[in-house]
Amino acid sequence: RLLSLLLALVLLPGHSLAMNPGTAAEPIAGVATTEPTFGLPAQWIAAEERERAQLLGYTVVDASAVVTTHLTETIRRHARELLGRQEVQGLLDILKPTHPSVVEGLVPALLPLGTVQKVLQNLLAEEVSIRDLAAILEALADAAPGCKDPLLLTEYARQALGRLICRSLTGTESVLKVLTLSPDLEQLLVDALNQGEQGRYLALEPKTAQRVIEALADGIAKAAPEGTPVVLCAPAVRPHLRRLTERYLPHLAVLSYNEIGPEVTLQALHMVEWSHAAAAV
């Protein structure tokens, strides 16, 4: 699948990609296309049109930069699919010389390799870096004696990486703009948690699930003028709310209170009310 996505990229030799950010003064001649990474309308323009396009306000990108960006973004989006058991074993082998007790004490003593793989895949699926593998394995080793559920183990790993996760969302300002859930909405989600053979899952009726998603989308829209918000919720709810929204709001970051360090300042932009969702019926 990844190879097919890369092969779908079509370039025009000797041309640059021009995109109108919404401020371009007038149209330009070119071959209409779609920017491959983010799906934006664009045009391939000849080299002699590049300077004129820039003067008119277009964003102009070289073909080589288009390839690099597309490759990087494609790998990022599909990193989970690229991380197999063999790749995870390779990562453990690299870490073992410097952290032998961490690696040997976890796999296979406490967890099988497949469980560690699932945790790392879960992190990558939410665009959480796994570069600090030692911290992740330490967190898993602490939690593994009493927990074997990959979903819950992922939450323990996220808490260990909380500072890194927050920094990726706040940059250098250390201010996290958040949407919070009303007590009624959070309680609705807690009450919908069921225990199955594969672990806990969120058992919501389709109409109710749709109303929750609409309520979140409404909250995001209201907070948009002040910046891109992060949803902040209880630790028990976080992974299930993320799964509920990943198809419809794929770029929405969902954090739990346990992932917020003391160095982070929270700026609440909006509270998502369950009454808003109910009114959408």
Side-chain angles (χ1 to χ4, degrees), residues 161-184:
L161 299 173
R163 181 174 296 178
L164 176 65
I165 293 172
C166 289
R167 189 182 305 135
S168 71
L169 296 168
T170 63
T172 58
E173 297 181 359
S174 297
V175 176
L176 194 62
K177 299 178 180 180
V178 301
L179 293 178
T180 57
L181 307 182
S182 69
D184 287 346

Side-chain angles (χ1 to χ4, degrees), residues 11 15-18 44 50 54 60-69:
L11 302 176
H15 287 64
S16 297
L17 194 68
W44 287 111
R50 179 186 180 94
Q54 291 175 323
V60 183
V61 184
D62 291 333
S64 59
V66 173
V67 173
T68 301
T69 303

Side-chain angles (χ1 to χ4, degrees), residues 137-211:
L137 298 186
E138 289 275 12
L140 296 182
D142 290 340
C147 176
K148 305 300 180 184
D149 183 349
L151 195 62
L152 292 178
L153 288 170
T154 302
E155 296 308 296
Y156 286 113
R158 286 181 61 95
Q159 291 170 26
L161 299 173
R163 181 174 296 178
L164 176 65
I165 293 172
C166 289
R167 189 182 305 135
S168 71
L169 296 168
T170 63
T172 58
E173 297 181 359
S174 297
V175 176
L176 194 62
K177 299 178 180 180
V178 301
L179 293 178
T180 57
L181 307 182
S182 69
D184 287 346
L185 178 53
E186 198 153 67
Q187 190 60 50
L188 170 81
L189 298 174
V190 170
D191 292 342
L193 293 176
N194 283 358
Q195 184 68 38
E197 293 182 1
Q198 303 299 321
R200 301 184 84 185
Y201 64 96
L202 193 63
L204 287 177
E205 294 182 357
K207 287 185 178 180
T208 302
Q210 184 60 37
R211 294 171 197 160

Side-chain angles (χ1 to χ4, degrees), residues 20 22-29 43 49 52-58:
N20 185 351
T23 57
E26 60 183 76
I28 55 174
Q43 288 177 289
E49 291 290 328
R52 177 172 176 270
Q54 291 175 323
L55 290 174
L56 290 173
Y58 285 83

